[in-house]
Amino acid sequence: MGNHTYDVIVIGAGPVGENVADRVVQGGLSVAIVERELVGGECSYWACMPTKALLRSAAALRAARQVPGSREAVTGDLDVAAVLRRRDNFASQWNDDGQVSWLDSAGITLYRGQGRISSDRVVEVADESGAATSLTARHAVVIATGSAALLPDIPGLREAEPWSSREAAAAHAIPGRLAVIGGGVVASEMATAFAALGSSVTMLARDGVLPLAEPFAGERVTESLREAGVSVLLGSEAGAVKRDSDGTVHITLTTGQLVEADEVLVAIGRTPNTQDAGLDAVGLKPGAWLTVDDTLRVVTDDGALLGDGWLYAAGDVNRRVLLTHQGKYQARVVGDVIVARAKGQAVDDSPWGRHVATADERAVPQVVFTEPEIASVGLTRAAAEEAGLRIRVVDYDLGAVAGSALHADGYRGHARMVVDEDRRVVVGFTLVGPDVAELLHAATIAVVGEVPIDRLWHAVPAYPTVSEVWLRLLEAYGR
């Protein structure tokens, strides 16, 4: 067994692990990163990039058809083969040579294989041949192994070989009939994508469509999915699944109704990739989510640090926010705080300090790339009320803004601003409509910066843009 020592060891070379390692190197420490699959992780090959590539072509075609002049120039339908080729390019043909080259250029040492903690600050790596390497960290070990699709215990489901988000993102053929179990972000986006690509889609949305978003967002997406030909069965739940020898999947709902499909996609949640991380070696439960303190050090169930706080967890595994951009934000925090502690520098762990991930709790931005798009940051109305805030909710018809009318004929959208009345700052913002994703960062800055409403009044939106909705919301608030 080879033995090597580094300042920091990172288990998981997805976007979170890569960013941790990069910050550590920039801070002057040595780092090794361990990866059992492709460097670049879920986002690069089976999630963010390929799924948005599947969605983008249809969205561009819809946009062209909503504007006279460009509408008349559209003479054909979506080229599915071209969409899949573009998706393949964004997934780098599922080859990580480019990402590996970047690690090398950044001074990050890569070990391929399954990384398992064997004792305090020690990680053993087993490669495909079974050869083992022992890595020792002088300062910290970071678990950034992400999450995997959760497969529920529905009779017959595993035997039916369902798709997870991975198979959907990497599909090289479009099924004639696709059943989607779930109503969240992945389920809604993939129902949107595959309907546009030619599948007859049935969606089993037990808890509704986008149940964690503002209600009007889920309602608009449900309406749009149905207009696109998707059969959205609200409140429906799969009771049993069976795949015939000819490949047909039969889904029996708990009501007795039967749904048939060629493929079934399960998108009901995530489970942490910690089963094989060696957590039991340090008194933690394999396969469990990891709990962390404000600086993302792993703590036990009673809140105690492991040893002197050498173990960190960033990204999905700590279950704070299961979004790539938020995981990368955590990674910057982790990398910087490890460097600060290693060098004996002061740690800024006050709210919004450099070494804490405060935005995870107060200002998480998210875009759902359905038709229409949903862009949100901070608290929904329900979440703000549950938090005990004294709020005022202001709504505005996004389609009534001059910029929206120019953007597309018949533009339909909605905007909601949630204001904390005691502090007179925006704590939540939701936009629904075509191409609203690029409007989100202004709202994120307002929430993170806790910009007073009175000061926002002086942020004049350019005319005629869709951003003028800010002025209309502030006018409505002032009435």
Side-chain angles (χ1 to χ4, degrees), residues 148-154 157-159 162-164 266 268-271:
L150 176 65
L151 196 63
D153 291 325
I154 298 173
L157 181 60
R158 292 179 186 274
E159 293 76 12
W163 279 5
S164 70
V266 180
I268 64 164
R270 308 289 292 178
T271 186

Side-chain angles (χ1 to χ4, degrees), residues 100-263:
V100 173
S101 177
W102 175 82
L103 288 181
D104 185 58
S105 68
I108 300 166
T109 303
L110 170 65
Y111 290 87
R112 289 193 181 273
Q114 176 65 55
R116 295 182 180 89
I117 298 170
S118 60
S119 60
D120 287 11
R121 291 189 174 85
V122 178
V123 175
E124 292 189 1
V125 183
D127 65 19
E128 290 184 352
S129 69
T133 302
S134 181
L135 307 177
T136 301
R138 296 185 185 93
H139 298 291
V141 173
V142 183
I143 299 178
T145 48
S147 65
L150 176 65
L151 196 63
D153 291 325
I154 298 173
L157 181 60
R158 292 179 186 274
E159 293 76 12
E161 299 180 339
W163 279 5
S164 70
S165 54
R166 281 196 169 200
E167 287 76 23
H172 285 284
I174 306 303
R177 299 168 298 175
L178 175 66
V180 180
I181 299 176
V185 174
V186 172
S188 299
E189 287 187 346
M190 290 301 92
T192 301
F194 279 88
L197 292 168
S199 288
S200 174
V201 179
T202 301
M203 191 173 178
L204 309 180
R206 184 191 67 181
D207 301 320
V209 174
L210 302 175
L212 299 181
E214 294 282 13
F216 62 82
E219 291 167 4
R220 289 289 179 94
V221 172
T222 301
E223 179 183 351
S224 177
L225 286 169
R226 286 173 169 161
E227 289 175 353
V230 176
S231 176
V232 182
L233 305 181
L234 300 176
S236 295
E237 184 174 5
V241 180
K242 180 182 179 182
R243 187 186 288 271
D244 284 346
S245 57
D246 66 358
T248 301
V249 179
H250 304 272
I251 304 170
T252 304
L253 306 188
T254 53
T255 59
Q257 181 181 348
L258 183 65
V259 173
E260 292 187 347
D262 300 301
E263 298 292 349

Side-chain angles (χ1 to χ4, degrees), residues 13-15 18 38-51 87-96 99 169 324 328:
E18 287 178 318
L38 296 178
V39 174
E42 199 81 8
C43 180
S44 298
Y45 307 103
W46 302 288
C48 319
M49 298 304 290
T51 60
R87 183 274 318 273
D88 292 352
N89 289 336
F90 274 100
S92 301
Q93 312 296 327
W94 290 275
N95 182 296
D96 65 359
Q99 300 264 19
T324 296
K328 291 166 71 173

Side-chain angles (χ1 to χ4, degrees), residues 295-306:
T295 60
L296 304 175
R297 292 178 298 185
V298 175
V299 298
T300 61
D301 290 340
D302 58 5
L305 285 175
L306 288 177

Side-chain angles (χ1 to χ4, degrees), residues 408-468:
D409 281 10
Y411 188 107
R412 294 182 62 207
H414 191 88
R416 170 168 288 180
M417 179 173 72
V418 181
V419 179
D420 179 341
E421 287 288 81
D422 292 328
R423 294 185 297 143
R424 288 177 63 81
V425 297
V426 178
V427 294
F429 206 93
T430 297
L431 295 155
V432 177
D435 302 316
V436 295
E438 300 304 330
L439 301 176
L440 181 58
H441 199 56
T444 303
I445 292 170
V447 174
V448 171
E450 299 178 336
V451 183
I453 287 287
D454 293 342
R455 180 59 63 88
L456 280 175
W457 179 255
H458 296 280
V460 181
Y463 184 87
T465 66
V466 185
S467 292
E468 194 182 15

Side-chain angles (χ1 to χ4, degrees), residues 13 19 47 52 68 89 113 250 269 289 294 320 335 365 371 437 466:
N19 274 269
K52 303 316 171 277
N89 289 336
H250 304 272
W289 299 100
D294 288 344
R320 287 166 66 102
E371 168 59 30
V466 185

Side-chain angles (χ1 to χ4, degrees), residues 22-90:
D22 190 38
R23 300 296 281 203
V24 166
V25 169
Q26 290 184 39
L29 303 184
S30 63
V31 63
I33 195 165
V34 182
E35 177 53 54
R36 66 179 182 178
E37 292 186 296
L38 296 178
V39 174
E42 199 81 8
C43 180
S44 298
Y45 307 103
W46 302 288
C48 319
M49 298 304 290
T51 60
K52 303 316 171 277
L54 287 176
L55 287 155
R56 177 57 193 159
S57 298
L61 183 59
R62 282 193 297 268
R65 286 173 171 165
Q66 286 182 302
V67 181
S70 63
R71 176 191 301 144
E72 288 74 15
V74 177
T75 58
D77 295 322
L78 199 66
D79 186 328
V80 174
V83 172
L84 297 181
R85 286 194 300 271
R86 185 170 188 261
R87 183 274 318 273
D88 292 352
N89 289 336
F90 274 100

